Amino acid sequence: KQLDFAGEIEKSTQRAADLTRQLLLFSRKQALQPHDLDLNEVVTSITKMLQRVLGEDVEMQFKFSPQPLLVHADAGMVDQILMNLTVNARDAMPKGGRLLIETSAVEFDEVTAAQTSQARPGSFACVSVSDTGGGIPPEILPRIFEPFFTTKDVGKGTGLGLATVFGIVQQHQGWINVYSEAGQGTTFRIYLPRLTKASDKKANWSSLAAIRSGNETILLVEDESSLRAAIRITLSRLGYRVLEASTGAEALEVWKEHRAEIRLVLTDMVMPGGLTGKELGEQLLQHDPKLKVIYASGYSADIAGKDFHLEEGVNFLAKPFAANKLAQTVRNCLDKI
Ligand SMILES: Nc1ncnc2c1ncn2[C@@H]1O[C@H](COP(=O)(O)OP(=O)(O)O)[C@@H](O)[C@H]1O
Ligand SMILES: [Mg+2]
């Protein structure tokens, strides 16, 4: 009995220490000690600690960008970001699950920017943390970065984890996006300015003009009107004919009228109005097995496609995507036999 008590005291002391540290980090705007770091190395060096936080029931997976991702950042603060997101992922998966950490180099253009409120053009390093937990209900999503906002029991949550992450990311001139699907899980993506040499920009950034275009008819299904417009403009410029729908139901209407012309359907996975992108794709493929379908989602392909096959660059577009990625995926998908 007495031992239990000591354990409890130790736990609450630990919690108090955690809370204090978070508060300090959060309020003091600690001075940054930035260095040129490879984000892949930062992630690698903290994996053991993250696995310990997650426990045995959560499987950890990694997908690193093949090239180094140089950023000018405070390593301790990047660790803090990863730690806070991992703790939240663990809390979201009480019965176990999967945690995926991905790093990638991304170039932002006007199409990409239309998909993310804080994005700006340029070269960025992205680190994302995905879980297979219960997801974040849409009604609380706008509030999760607020200081002291928590849905956890008293003594469990501080509501400072994401506020701290948000603050750190801002201090680094970056931004954070969150995608969540009920029952599937959640992906947080953090973007930090990437240090580039003029040469590597050229190497991994194929220009839109270099990608073969076409004149096929494409049905575009996307509920967000600004993004739909950006995609439509990009595809039209390349020569494609674009038909639009903002929901699955609307897409079925357009399909009825134009099914003879439509070669490819590009659909968002998550849409309001009852019919998901996946369900829409399945229905249309029953009508026309030769139809090509590309699914777009902000959620990680590995996890979103767990019950059907998604291949990035062929039938899957990871949001946010750039114009050249869009053009290349559309072409790859149309040309696939
Ligand atoms: N990966 C996640 N899955 C589901 N919900 C999450 C996730 N991350 C954060 N949340 C939600 O956001 C809220 C705020 O998170 P945070 O600022 O870290 O505070 P805390 O974890 O102390 O509650 C959480 O209480 C939870 O409701
Ligand atoms: Mg938290």
Side-chain angles (χ1 to χ4, degrees):
K1 258 263 125 46
Q2 229 164 10
L3 256 173
D4 277 3
F5 205 49
E8 282 307 306
I9 292 176
E10 195 189 316
K11 253 194 247 158
S12 51
T13 319
Q14 187 58 46
R15 272 205 297 269
D18 283 351
L19 175 60
T20 312
R21 199 169 36 86
Q22 295 271 355
L23 273 170
L24 283 174
L25 255 177
F26 175 67
S27 63
R28 200 165 8 121
K29 274 227 160 191
Q30 278 198 333
L32 286 182
Q33 296 194 334
H35 300 279
D36 291 357
L37 309 167
D38 179 356
L39 204 55
N40 287 337
E41 284 174 14
V42 179
V43 173
T44 307
S45 64
I46 197 180
T47 54
K48 275 219 181 85
M49 213 149 104
L50 299 181
Q51 182 70 70
R52 223 172 295 142
V53 165
L54 285 171
E56 284 172 357
D57 295 338
V58 177
E59 184 196 343
M60 252 183 134
Q61 289 180 347
F62 297 93
K63 248 186 169 172
F64 290 107
S65 77
Q67 76 270 52
L69 288 178
L70 279 192
V71 292
H72 194 64
D74 182 310
M77 291 203 188
V78 177
D79 287 350
Q80 187 72 51
I81 291 174
L82 293 167
M83 186 53 85
N84 289 8
L85 295 180
T86 301
V87 168
N88 283 346
R90 178 202 60 197
D91 292 348
M93 300 185 284
K95 297 199 185 95
R98 222 155 26 109
L99 181 99
L100 172 68
I101 299 185
E102 287 174 277
T103 64
S104 59
V106 286
E107 298 291 332
F108 274 69
D109 62 10
E110 73 277 12
V111 173
T112 337
Q115 297 164 65
T116 37
S117 54
Q118 300 161 82
R120 60 183 187 275
S123 303
F124 296 88
C126 176
V127 56
S128 71
V129 178
S130 303
D131 65 59
T132 56
I136 303 175
E139 62 275 16
I140 74 158
L141 204 56
R143 301 197 57 198
I144 57 171
F145 295 104
E146 280 175 23
F148 305 110
F149 176 81
T150 181
T151 57
K152 294 168 194 173
D153 292 344
V154 180
K156 275 227 167 123
T158 61
L160 286 171
L162 289 178
T164 305
V165 169
F166 189 88
I168 295 174
V169 171
Q170 280 212 317
Q171 268 185 290
H172 284 83
Q173 277 83 49
W175 69 90
I176 180 165
N177 294 133
V178 51
Y179 298 92
S180 197
E181 290 180 29
Q184 292 261 40
T186 304
T187 296
F188 284 91
R189 291 216 170 85
I190 285 162
Y191 296 91
L192 302 176
R194 185 162 59 95
L195 306 171
T196 52
K197 290 177 241 119
S199 57
D200 59 47
K201 197 162 180 179
K202 231 184 184 170
N204 58 46
W205 187 233
S206 57
S207 87
L208 203 53
I211 297 165
R212 208 162 65 78
S213 57
N215 55 12
E216 288 93 340
T217 299
I218 297 172
L219 171 55
L220 168 62
V221 194
E222 165 64 57
D223 56 300
E224 211 175 296
S225 61
S226 59
L227 173 57
R228 199 170 63 240
I231 297 176
R232 174 189 17 94
I233 291 166
T234 305
L235 293 175
S236 306
R237 269 192 204 145
L238 288 164
Y240 297 105
R241 176 168 168 244
V242 182
L243 305 173
E244 292 177 65
S246 62
T247 63
E250 218 180 292
L252 290 175
E253 292 299 311
V254 178
W255 170 261
K256 264 188 219 148
E257 219 162 289
H258 297 276
R259 60 175 290 178
E261 305 124 67
I262 296 169
R263 291 281 163 277
L264 181 141
V265 174
L266 168 53
T267 178
D268 193 12
M269 293 254 258
V270 200
M271 288 181 299
L275 199 61
T276 68
K278 188 186 153 197
E279 288 160 355
L280 174 69
E282 278 167 353
Q283 279 196 29
L284 297 183
L285 281 168
Q286 274 179 5
H287 290 291
D288 178 3
K290 286 205 303 272
L291 180 73
K292 303 289 165 51
V293 183
I294 297 175
Y295 302 91
S297 172
Y299 201 56
S300 166
D302 273 19
I303 295 173
K306 66 172 187 268
D307 37 1
F308 69 127
H309 180 69
L310 290 178
E311 193 180 339
E312 175 133 30
V314 180
N315 71 345
F316 183 75
L317 265 170
K319 283 183 168 184
F321 49 81
N324 67 339
K325 185 84 189 186
L326 168 69
Q328 190 65 67
T329 306
V330 162
R331 203 55 254 166
N332 290 349
C333 190
L334 283 166
D335 291 344
K336 206 179 155 197
I337 312 153

mmCIF file of all heavy atoms in Angstrom, residues 35-68:
data_model
loop_
_atom_site.group_PDB
_atom_site.id
_atom_site.type_symbol
_atom_site.label_atom_id
_atom_site.label_comp_id
_atom_site.label_asym_id
_atom_site.label_seq_id
_atom_site.Cartn_x
_atom_site.Cartn_y
_atom_site.Cartn_z
ATOM 1 N N HIS A 35 20.906 25.740 -35.136
ATOM 2 C CA HIS A 35 22.085 25.280 -35.873
ATOM 3 C C HIS A 35 21.601 24.701 -37.188
ATOM 4 O O HIS A 35 20.423 24.411 -37.342
ATOM 5 C CB HIS A 35 22.823 24.190 -35.091
ATOM 6 C CG HIS A 35 23.293 24.645 -33.750
ATOM 7 N ND1 HIS A 35 24.454 25.370 -33.574
ATOM 8 C CD2 HIS A 35 22.757 24.498 -32.516
ATOM 9 C CE1 HIS A 35 24.601 25.642 -32.291
ATOM 10 N NE2 HIS A 35 23.586 25.129 -31.629
ATOM 11 N N ASP A 36 22.533 24.490 -38.108
ATOM 12 C CA ASP A 36 22.157 23.782 -39.324
ATOM 13 C C ASP A 36 22.095 22.291 -39.010
ATOM 14 O O ASP A 36 23.097 21.689 -38.638
ATOM 15 C CB ASP A 36 23.183 24.039 -40.438
ATOM 16 C CG ASP A 36 23.115 25.479 -40.912
ATOM 17 O OD1 ASP A 36 22.242 26.219 -40.412
ATOM 18 O OD2 ASP A 36 23.927 25.866 -41.774
ATOM 19 N N LEU A 37 20.899 21.723 -39.146
ATOM 20 C CA LEU A 37 20.694 20.322 -38.752
ATOM 21 C C LEU A 37 20.074 19.553 -39.900
ATOM 22 O O LEU A 37 19.323 20.116 -40.692
ATOM 23 C CB LEU A 37 19.687 20.235 -37.603
ATOM 24 C CG LEU A 37 19.856 21.083 -36.368
ATOM 25 C CD1 LEU A 37 18.559 21.035 -35.573
ATOM 26 C CD2 LEU A 37 21.006 20.530 -35.549
ATOM 27 N N ASP A 38 20.356 18.251 -39.900
ATOM 28 C CA ASP A 38 19.629 17.366 -40.817
ATOM 29 C C ASP A 38 18.437 16.801 -40.045
ATOM 30 O O ASP A 38 18.603 16.092 -39.054
ATOM 31 C CB ASP A 38 20.568 16.235 -41.276
ATOM 32 C CG ASP A 38 19.864 15.258 -42.208
ATOM 33 O OD1 ASP A 38 18.646 15.412 -42.431
ATOM 34 O OD2 ASP A 38 20.545 14.344 -42.708
ATOM 35 N N LEU A 39 17.241 17.128 -40.505
ATOM 36 C CA LEU A 39 16.030 16.706 -39.808
ATOM 37 C C LEU A 39 15.956 15.183 -39.679
ATOM 38 O O LEU A 39 15.461 14.655 -38.678
ATOM 39 C CB LEU A 39 14.815 17.237 -40.576
ATOM 40 C CG LEU A 39 13.524 17.424 -39.807
ATOM 41 C CD1 LEU A 39 13.684 18.293 -38.585
ATOM 42 C CD2 LEU A 39 12.455 18.017 -40.726
ATOM 43 N N ASN A 40 16.458 14.477 -40.665
ATOM 44 C CA ASN A 40 16.482 13.004 -40.584
ATOM 45 C C ASN A 40 17.285 12.539 -39.380
ATOM 46 O O ASN A 40 16.910 11.588 -38.704
ATOM 47 C CB ASN A 40 17.072 12.393 -41.859
ATOM 48 C CG ASN A 40 16.113 12.481 -43.038
ATOM 49 O OD1 ASN A 40 14.908 12.589 -42.850
ATOM 50 N ND2 ASN A 40 16.657 12.440 -44.239
ATOM 51 N N GLU A 41 18.390 13.232 -39.124
ATOM 52 C CA GLU A 41 19.226 12.836 -37.980
ATOM 53 C C GLU A 41 18.554 13.168 -36.654
ATOM 54 O O GLU A 41 18.629 12.403 -35.692
ATOM 55 C CB GLU A 41 20.596 13.514 -38.059
ATOM 56 C CG GLU A 41 21.493 12.864 -39.091
ATOM 57 C CD GLU A 41 22.807 13.620 -39.282
ATOM 58 O OE1 GLU A 41 23.134 14.482 -38.439
ATOM 59 O OE2 GLU A 41 23.487 13.336 -40.287
ATOM 60 N N VAL A 42 17.895 14.315 -36.611
ATOM 61 C CA VAL A 42 17.195 14.691 -35.379
ATOM 62 C C VAL A 42 16.145 13.638 -35.047
ATOM 63 O O VAL A 42 16.037 13.176 -33.903
ATOM 64 C CB VAL A 42 16.533 16.081 -35.517
ATOM 65 C CG1 VAL A 42 15.801 16.450 -34.237
ATOM 66 C CG2 VAL A 42 17.567 17.145 -35.848
ATOM 67 N N VAL A 43 15.377 13.242 -36.063
ATOM 68 C CA VAL A 43 14.327 12.238 -35.826
ATOM 69 C C VAL A 43 14.959 10.913 -35.396
ATOM 70 O O VAL A 43 14.532 10.290 -34.412
ATOM 71 C CB VAL A 43 13.464 12.023 -37.091
ATOM 72 C CG1 VAL A 43 12.490 10.867 -36.898
ATOM 73 C CG2 VAL A 43 12.700 13.301 -37.433
ATOM 74 N N THR A 44 16.003 10.495 -36.095
ATOM 75 C CA THR A 44 16.647 9.219 -35.774
ATOM 76 C C THR A 44 17.131 9.178 -34.331
ATOM 77 O O THR A 44 16.983 8.181 -33.640
ATOM 78 C CB THR A 44 17.849 8.983 -36.711
ATOM 79 O OG1 THR A 44 17.393 9.110 -38.053
ATOM 80 C CG2 THR A 44 18.434 7.603 -36.512
ATOM 81 N N SER A 45 17.679 10.309 -33.874
ATOM 82 C CA SER A 45 18.295 10.278 -32.554
ATOM 83 C C SER A 45 17.277 10.265 -31.416
ATOM 84 O O SER A 45 17.622 9.968 -30.285
ATOM 85 C CB SER A 45 19.271 11.443 -32.397
ATOM 86 O OG SER A 45 18.563 12.644 -32.460
ATOM 87 N N ILE A 46 16.031 10.549 -31.716
ATOM 88 C CA ILE A 46 15.051 10.558 -30.616
ATOM 89 C C ILE A 46 14.110 9.341 -30.657
ATOM 90 O O ILE A 46 13.247 9.171 -29.791
ATOM 91 C CB ILE A 46 14.248 11.883 -30.594
ATOM 92 C CG1 ILE A 46 13.560 12.058 -29.240
ATOM 93 C CG2 ILE A 46 13.281 11.974 -31.729
ATOM 94 C CD1 ILE A 46 12.751 13.306 -29.087
ATOM 95 N N THR A 47 14.293 8.459 -31.640
ATOM 96 C CA THR A 47 13.331 7.346 -31.806
ATOM 97 C C THR A 47 13.220 6.449 -30.571
ATOM 98 O O THR A 47 12.125 6.035 -30.218
ATOM 99 C CB THR A 47 13.681 6.450 -33.008
ATOM 100 O OG1 THR A 47 15.026 6.014 -32.857
ATOM 101 C CG2 THR A 47 13.525 7.185 -34.308
ATOM 102 N N LYS A 48 14.345 6.167 -29.932
ATOM 103 C CA LYS A 48 14.303 5.256 -28.773
ATOM 104 C C LYS A 48 13.416 5.834 -27.674
ATOM 105 O O LYS A 48 12.614 5.147 -27.064
ATOM 106 C CB LYS A 48 15.722 5.055 -28.216
ATOM 107 C CG LYS A 48 16.491 3.971 -28.939
ATOM 108 C CD LYS A 48 17.328 3.145 -27.943
ATOM 109 C CE LYS A 48 18.135 2.067 -28.634
ATOM 110 N NZ LYS A 48 19.435 2.591 -29.134
ATOM 111 N N MET A 49 13.583 7.151 -27.465
ATOM 112 C CA MET A 49 12.810 7.804 -26.426
ATOM 113 C C MET A 49 11.320 7.779 -26.782
ATOM 114 O O MET A 49 10.474 7.560 -25.915
ATOM 115 C CB MET A 49 13.290 9.244 -26.289
ATOM 116 C CG MET A 49 13.212 9.761 -24.898
ATOM 117 S SD MET A 49 14.519 10.951 -24.647
ATOM 118 C CE MET A 49 13.623 12.474 -24.710
ATOM 119 N N LEU A 50 11.027 7.998 -28.046
ATOM 120 C CA LEU A 50 9.624 8.006 -28.474
ATOM 121 C C LEU A 50 9.012 6.617 -28.295
ATOM 122 O O LEU A 50 7.868 6.480 -27.850
ATOM 123 C CB LEU A 50 9.501 8.452 -29.930
ATOM 124 C CG LEU A 50 10.006 9.862 -30.246
ATOM 125 C CD1 LEU A 50 9.812 10.178 -31.715
ATOM 126 C CD2 LEU A 50 9.306 10.920 -29.390
ATOM 127 N N GLN A 51 9.767 5.588 -28.636
ATOM 128 C CA GLN A 51 9.257 4.225 -28.497
ATOM 129 C C GLN A 51 8.933 3.925 -27.028
ATOM 130 O O GLN A 51 7.947 3.278 -26.719
ATOM 131 C CB GLN A 51 10.280 3.216 -29.038
ATOM 132 C CG GLN A 51 9.805 1.767 -28.963
ATOM 133 C CD GLN A 51 8.666 1.462 -29.952
ATOM 134 O OE1 GLN A 51 8.865 1.430 -31.158
ATOM 135 N NE2 GLN A 51 7.456 1.256 -29.427
ATOM 136 N N ARG A 52 9.772 4.444 -26.131
ATOM 137 C CA ARG A 52 9.531 4.229 -24.707
ATOM 138 C C ARG A 52 8.233 4.901 -24.269
ATOM 139 O O ARG A 52 7.447 4.343 -23.512
ATOM 140 C CB ARG A 52 10.714 4.787 -23.902
ATOM 141 C CG ARG A 52 11.142 3.863 -22.776
ATOM 142 C CD ARG A 52 12.429 4.336 -22.137
ATOM 143 N NE ARG A 52 13.578 4.299 -23.045
ATOM 144 C CZ ARG A 52 14.539 5.216 -23.081
ATOM 145 N NH1 ARG A 52 14.489 6.275 -22.284
ATOM 146 N NH2 ARG A 52 15.544 5.097 -23.908
ATOM 147 N N VAL A 53 8.002 6.113 -24.798
ATOM 148 C CA VAL A 53 6.761 6.827 -24.483
ATOM 149 C C VAL A 53 5.547 6.071 -25.013
ATOM 150 O O VAL A 53 4.511 5.989 -24.362
ATOM 151 C CB VAL A 53 6.816 8.246 -25.108
ATOM 152 C CG1 VAL A 53 5.439 8.875 -25.139
ATOM 153 C CG2 VAL A 53 7.784 9.118 -24.327
ATOM 154 N N LEU A 54 5.695 5.491 -26.187
ATOM 155 C CA LEU A 54 4.558 4.824 -26.833
ATOM 156 C C LEU A 54 4.185 3.510 -26.169
ATOM 157 O O LEU A 54 3.041 3.090 -26.210
ATOM 158 C CB LEU A 54 4.881 4.551 -28.301
ATOM 159 C CG LEU A 54 4.829 5.768 -29.219
ATOM 160 C CD1 LEU A 54 5.387 5.397 -30.583
ATOM 161 C CD2 LEU A 54 3.413 6.297 -29.354
ATOM 162 N N GLY A 55 5.160 2.854 -25.587
ATOM 163 C CA GLY A 55 4.889 1.542 -25.005
ATOM 164 C C GLY A 55 4.911 0.458 -26.060
ATOM 165 O O GLY A 55 5.181 0.713 -27.238
ATOM 166 N N GLU A 56 4.593 -0.759 -25.609
ATOM 167 C CA GLU A 56 4.788 -1.911 -26.502
ATOM 168 C C GLU A 56 3.650 -2.130 -27.485
ATOM 169 O O GLU A 56 3.819 -2.830 -28.488
ATOM 170 C CB GLU A 56 4.967 -3.181 -25.654
ATOM 171 C CG GLU A 56 6.350 -3.257 -25.031
ATOM 172 C CD GLU A 56 6.473 -4.390 -24.042
ATOM 173 O OE1 GLU A 56 5.463 -5.084 -23.786
ATOM 174 O OE2 GLU A 56 7.586 -4.583 -23.535
ATOM 175 N N ASP A 57 2.484 -1.571 -27.192
ATOM 176 C CA ASP A 57 1.336 -1.862 -28.042
ATOM 177 C C ASP A 57 1.275 -0.999 -29.303
ATOM 178 O O ASP A 57 0.426 -1.206 -30.164
ATOM 179 C CB ASP A 57 0.030 -1.680 -27.261
ATOM 180 C CG ASP A 57 -0.076 -2.688 -26.128
ATOM 181 O OD1 ASP A 57 0.607 -3.730 -26.217
ATOM 182 O OD2 ASP A 57 -0.813 -2.429 -25.163
ATOM 183 N N VAL A 58 2.157 -0.028 -29.377
ATOM 184 C CA VAL A 58 2.150 0.823 -30.570
ATOM 185 C C VAL A 58 3.389 0.530 -31.407
ATOM 186 O O VAL A 58 4.517 0.580 -30.933
ATOM 187 C CB VAL A 58 2.112 2.321 -30.204
ATOM 188 C CG1 VAL A 58 2.173 3.180 -31.459
ATOM 189 C CG2 VAL A 58 0.862 2.649 -29.402
ATOM 190 N N GLU A 59 3.121 0.208 -32.663
ATOM 191 C CA GLU A 59 4.219 -0.098 -33.579
ATOM 192 C C GLU A 59 4.695 1.204 -34.214
ATOM 193 O O GLU A 59 3.895 2.023 -34.663
ATOM 194 C CB GLU A 59 3.693 -1.050 -34.656
ATOM 195 C CG GLU A 59 4.738 -1.530 -35.623
ATOM 196 C CD GLU A 59 4.092 -2.128 -36.864
ATOM 197 O OE1 GLU A 59 2.885 -2.457 -36.817
ATOM 198 O OE2 GLU A 59 4.793 -2.230 -37.890
ATOM 199 N N MET A 60 5.999 1.387 -34.243
ATOM 200 C CA MET A 60 6.546 2.614 -34.833
ATOM 201 C C MET A 60 7.080 2.330 -36.221
ATOM 202 O O MET A 60 7.769 1.338 -36.435
ATOM 203 C CB MET A 60 7.713 3.076 -33.970
ATOM 204 C CG MET A 60 7.424 4.293 -33.178
ATOM 205 S SD MET A 60 8.912 4.758 -32.304
ATOM 206 C CE MET A 60 8.913 6.477 -32.656
ATOM 207 N N GLN A 61 6.785 3.232 -37.140
ATOM 208 C CA GLN A 61 7.329 3.088 -38.488
ATOM 209 C C GLN A 61 7.933 4.405 -38.938
ATOM 210 O O GLN A 61 7.480 5.469 -38.530
ATOM 211 C CB GLN A 61 6.212 2.703 -39.464
ATOM 212 C CG GLN A 61 5.718 1.301 -39.267
ATOM 213 C CD GLN A 61 4.625 0.961 -40.255
ATOM 214 O OE1 GLN A 61 4.073 1.836 -40.916
ATOM 215 N NE2 GLN A 61 4.307 -0.312 -40.337
ATOM 216 N N PHE A 62 8.911 4.314 -39.800
ATOM 217 C CA PHE A 62 9.574 5.516 -40.302
ATOM 218 C C PHE A 62 9.671 5.477 -41.806
ATOM 219 O O PHE A 62 9.815 4.416 -42.406
ATOM 220 C CB PHE A 62 10.993 5.614 -39.728
ATOM 221 C CG PHE A 62 11.001 5.743 -38.250
ATOM 222 C CD1 PHE A 62 11.104 4.618 -37.452
ATOM 223 C CD2 PHE A 62 10.855 6.974 -37.648
ATOM 224 C CE1 PHE A 62 11.070 4.721 -36.082
ATOM 225 C CE2 PHE A 62 10.820 7.091 -36.279
ATOM 226 C CZ PHE A 62 10.928 5.968 -35.491
ATOM 227 N N LYS A 63 9.583 6.665 -42.399
ATOM 228 C CA LYS A 63 9.817 6.807 -43.832
ATOM 229 C C LYS A 63 10.637 8.079 -43.985
ATOM 230 O O LYS A 63 10.096 9.180 -43.837
ATOM 231 C CB LYS A 63 8.473 6.994 -44.539
ATOM 232 C CG LYS A 63 8.068 5.843 -45.426
ATOM 233 C CD LYS A 63 6.813 6.288 -46.120
ATOM 234 C CE LYS A 63 6.388 5.400 -47.225
ATOM 235 N NZ LYS A 63 5.044 5.845 -47.674
ATOM 236 N N PHE A 64 11.916 7.914 -44.236
ATOM 237 C CA PHE A 64 12.780 9.084 -44.316
ATOM 238 C C PHE A 64 12.965 9.528 -45.764
ATOM 239 O O PHE A 64 13.016 8.692 -46.670
ATOM 240 C CB PHE A 64 14.153 8.771 -43.714
ATOM 241 C CG PHE A 64 14.131 8.609 -42.223
ATOM 242 C CD1 PHE A 64 14.265 7.359 -41.652
ATOM 243 C CD2 PHE A 64 13.956 9.707 -41.397
ATOM 244 C CE1 PHE A 64 14.242 7.206 -40.268
ATOM 245 C CE2 PHE A 64 13.932 9.563 -40.020
ATOM 246 C CZ PHE A 64 14.070 8.310 -39.456
ATOM 247 N N SER A 65 13.083 10.811 -45.962
ATOM 248 C CA SER A 65 13.405 11.299 -47.294
ATOM 249 C C SER A 65 14.798 10.785 -47.643
ATOM 250 O O SER A 65 15.666 10.711 -46.774
ATOM 251 C CB SER A 65 13.410 12.825 -47.315
ATOM 252 O OG SER A 65 14.596 13.299 -46.723
ATOM 253 N N PRO A 66 15.011 10.410 -48.902
ATOM 254 C CA PRO A 66 16.322 9.864 -49.274
ATOM 255 C C PRO A 66 17.450 10.888 -49.128
ATOM 256 O O PRO A 66 18.575 10.514 -48.810
ATOM 257 C CB PRO A 66 16.140 9.434 -50.728
ATOM 258 C CG PRO A 66 14.894 10.098 -51.205
ATOM 259 C CD PRO A 66 14.058 10.400 -50.010
ATOM 260 N N GLN A 67 17.149 12.155 -49.327
ATOM 261 C CA GLN A 67 18.215 13.163 -49.220
ATOM 262 C C GLN A 67 18.212 13.793 -47.827
ATOM 263 O O GLN A 67 17.181 13.786 -47.164
ATOM 264 C CB GLN A 67 18.064 14.235 -50.302
ATOM 265 C CG GLN A 67 16.969 15.260 -50.076
ATOM 266 C CD GLN A 67 15.639 14.851 -50.666
ATOM 267 O OE1 GLN A 67 15.120 13.777 -50.428
ATOM 268 N NE2 GLN A 67 15.066 15.750 -51.439
ATOM 269 N N PRO A 68 19.351 14.323 -47.381
ATOM 270 C CA PRO A 68 19.357 15.025 -46.088
ATOM 271 C C PRO A 68 18.411 16.228 -46.146
ATOM 272 O O PRO A 68 18.219 16.818 -47.217
ATOM 273 C CB PRO A 68 20.807 15.502 -45.940
ATOM 274 C CG PRO A 68 21.586 14.846 -47.004
ATOM 275 C CD PRO A 68 20.649 14.368 -48.058
#
